[in-house]
Amino acid sequence: MNEFPLEMPGRECKIALVASEFNHFIVQQLVEGALDALNRNAVPEQDISLVWVPGAYELPLAAELLASAGKHDAV
């Protein structure tokens, strides 16, 4: 197996996460893992936005709104 460590750029980076309330128990663990990875790579908590949506249908809609707003470097 090849492993590639995540290396964040040496500048401020605004990140948006979109998560579904459906299957909250499972999704919450995935969100915690994503937040842990960002934390380990020195992304400050104030530079992370977490948006909860009701289900899978709303995920791409919320991601599109966040991406088109231009306030985040990654969604």
Side-chain angles (χ1 to χ4, degrees):
M1 171 174 71
N2 294 325
E3 289 189 28
F4 302 95
L6 175 65
E7 294 181 21
M8 299 299 289
R11 64 176 183 80
E12 290 185 14
C13 195
K14 304 278 187 192
I15 307 291
L17 300 175
V18 185
S20 171
E21 289 283 353
F22 190 76
N23 286 326
H24 185 80
F25 176 74
I26 295 169
V27 174
Q28 180 63 40
Q29 293 177 50
L30 294 170
V31 167
E32 288 174 10
L35 293 173
D36 178 58
L38 292 169
N39 183 33
R40 284 184 284 123
N41 284 278
V43 177
E45 190 173 317
Q46 65 268 15
D47 289 344
I48 303 170
S49 300
L50 174 58
V51 177
W52 288 95
V53 297
Y57 179 77
E58 295 85 3
L59 286 171
L61 302 173
E64 181 180 13
L65 286 172
L66 288 164
S68 64
K71 295 180 182 180
H72 299 92
D73 297 305
V75 177

